[in-house]
């Protein structure tokens, strides 16, 4: 009997979302649609320049891996998350948010750590695209010391956030987690996280993947960039060398899935997208819930597309707790109608 269904590792970031225009991005020199690592000075500079926008700002416990693990927890999985926060107000907020979501974490997260908890400024344009400026803070120091081998060994799946590739100690922790998981029979999943990470740290991501992971998550741009191909069909074929299953999200076109034997195309619900921040994280959380509950890849993909569609139709990278149960109820109803 496993104590946890899902063990995740990733950066701990306090997200602040602000609605901006494309002209704002150009004026501020912000690259659109990707995650850019910045220092504390640059982030303060951006916040100051956008001071008149802050009335609409929204704060949330985030980081890609955390969003995925929290979603999985709200759907009903037993989850554990390794990350690093500082002994500051944002660190206290972060720990409380994990606990409220039912996510367990290692004892190291309770220890007072000098430094600054990581922060991500998420700029949302009218086309729903998100442009992220991230100051990793103490998350840049996430290391093997934050791993809990006992919790990992008692888990069914291990989930690795690809953003860790940008930190030498974070990358080492991700590799250690994968190798340990493989050694004790825990299945491994990894997200490529962002086109910029694929472009800047391709070789590092290859190291994190090792010979192969059980499940690889990526979007269209990440798949093309990682494989050096120019179409999804070719990218899907090339990805099979790095994993035993994958999920390529295609935005409004749904997702392309491979379970190791068959490929599936899953449609996305028609929604009015206003904020794409967290869509891929939610997809991964819902998908991991589905396969942990013995859904087929196709069934898990359908749930994940519905969940991601719900996220992009509202502001913020996460759903409220009751929205997860509503999605599951709708899924059960849909299955009943089909049978």
């Amino acid at each position: 009997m496993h104590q946890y269904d899902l063990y995740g590792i990733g950066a701990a970031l306090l997200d602040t979302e602000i609605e901006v225009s494309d002209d704002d991005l150009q004026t501020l020199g912000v690259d659109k649609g990707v995650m850019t690592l910045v220092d504390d000075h640059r982030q303060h500079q951006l916040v100051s320049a956008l001071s008149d926008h802050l009335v609409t700002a929204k704060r949330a416990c985030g980081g890609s891996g955390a969003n995925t693990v929290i979603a999985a927890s709200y759907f009903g999985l037993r989850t554990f998350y390794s990350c690093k926060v500082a002994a500051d107000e944002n660190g206290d907020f972060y720990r409380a948010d994990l606990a409220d979501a039912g996510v367990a974490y290692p004892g190291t997260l309770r220890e007072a750590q000098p430094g600054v908890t990581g922060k991500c400024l998420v700029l949302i344009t009218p086309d729903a695209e998100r442009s992220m400026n991230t100051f990793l803070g103490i998350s840049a120091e996430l290391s093997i010391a934050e791993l809990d081998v006992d919790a990992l060994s008692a888990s069914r799946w291990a989930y690795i956030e690809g953003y860790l590739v940008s930190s030498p100690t974070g990358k080492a922790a991700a590799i250690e987690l994968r190798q340990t998981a493989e050694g004790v029979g825990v299945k491994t999943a990894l997200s490529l996280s962002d086109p910029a990470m694929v472009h800047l740290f391709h070789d590092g991501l290859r190291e994190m993947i090792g010979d192969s992971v059980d499940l690889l998550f990526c979007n269209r741009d990440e798949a093309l960039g990682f494989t050096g191909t120019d179409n999804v069909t070719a990218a899907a074929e090339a990805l099979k060398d790095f994993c035993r299953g994958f999920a390529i999200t295609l935005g409004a076109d749904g997702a392309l899935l491979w379970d190791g034997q068959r490929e599936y195309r899953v449609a996305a619900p028609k929604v009015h997208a206003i904020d794409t921040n967290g869509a891929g994280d939610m997809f991964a959380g819902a998908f991991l819930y589905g396969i942990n509950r013995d859904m087929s890849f196709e069934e898990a993909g359908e749930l994940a597309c519905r969940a991601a569609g719900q996220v992009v139709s509202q502001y913020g990278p996460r759903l409220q707790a009751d929205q997860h149960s509503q999605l599951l109820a709708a899924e059960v109803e849909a299955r009943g109608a089909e049978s």
Side-chain angles (χ1 to χ4, degrees), residues 53-283:
H53 292 62
L54 290 176
V55 291
T56 60
K58 302 170 183 67
R59 188 174 76 154
C61 162
S64 177
N67 290 336
T68 291
V69 171
I70 289 170
S73 183
Y74 276 134
F75 275 119
L77 294 190
R78 298 159 300 166
T79 59
F80 191 100
Y81 192 61
S82 280
C83 60
K84 191 163 188 172
V85 299
D88 56 13
E89 180 187 354
N90 285 341
D92 293 341
F93 180 92
Y94 203 95
R95 281 187 292 267
D97 209 23
L98 285 180
D100 288 345
V103 179
Y105 50 78
T108 53
L109 202 64
R110 300 185 185 93
E111 299 170 2
Q113 299 277 353
V116 179
T117 297
K119 298 172 286 185
C120 182
L121 186 62
V122 186
L123 307 181
I124 309 298
T125 41
D127 60 356
E129 187 61 86
R130 89 286 185 272
S131 306
M132 298 181 290
N133 291 263
T134 301
F135 169 59
L136 288 173
I138 201 170
S139 276
E141 302 170 20
L142 178 69
S143 69
I144 291 171
E146 278 67 57
L147 298 180
D148 187 316
V149 174
D150 289 340
L152 174 60
S153 300
S155 301
R156 297 182 66 187
W157 280 85
Y159 178 77
I160 300 168
E161 173 192 300
Y163 283 121
L164 293 177
V165 73
S166 66
S167 159
T169 58
K171 184 181 78 171
I175 292 171
E176 179 74 13
L177 183 147
R178 173 183 54 76
Q179 291 175 337
T180 302
E182 290 170 346
V184 295
V186 176
K187 292 186 177 181
T188 55
L190 181 141
S191 169
L192 294 183
S193 292
D194 192 277
M197 295 296 99
V198 171
H199 175 69
L200 295 171
F201 301 101
H202 182 275
D203 291 346
L205 286 168
R206 287 283 303 270
E207 289 181 69
M208 284 167 59
I209 290 170
D211 291 335
S212 185
V213 291
D214 288 292
L215 182 56
L216 187 68
F217 291 99
C218 56
N219 65 23
R220 185 198 318 260
D221 291 341
E222 293 154 8
L224 298 182
F226 187 76
T227 60
T229 55
D230 60 4
N231 65 83
V232 172
T233 300
E237 198 58 37
L239 284 178
K240 293 174 183 179
D241 290 335
F242 304 99
C243 58
R244 290 175 283 278
F246 63 63
I248 305 174
T249 56
L250 305 171
D253 294 325
L256 175 62
L257 315 170
W258 178 59
D259 65 5
Q261 296 180 316
R262 282 189 55 192
E263 288 187 7
Y264 305 89
R265 283 271 187 173
V266 178
K270 296 188 184 302
V271 298
H272 173 59
I274 61 173
D275 177 6
T276 58
N277 184 30
D281 305 335
M282 174 56 70
F283 183 98

Side-chain angles (χ1 to χ4, degrees), residues 10-22:
L13 304 172
L14 255 293
D15 285 349
T16 299
E17 285 203 344
I18 303 178
E19 298 170 49
V20 299
S21 67
D22 284 297

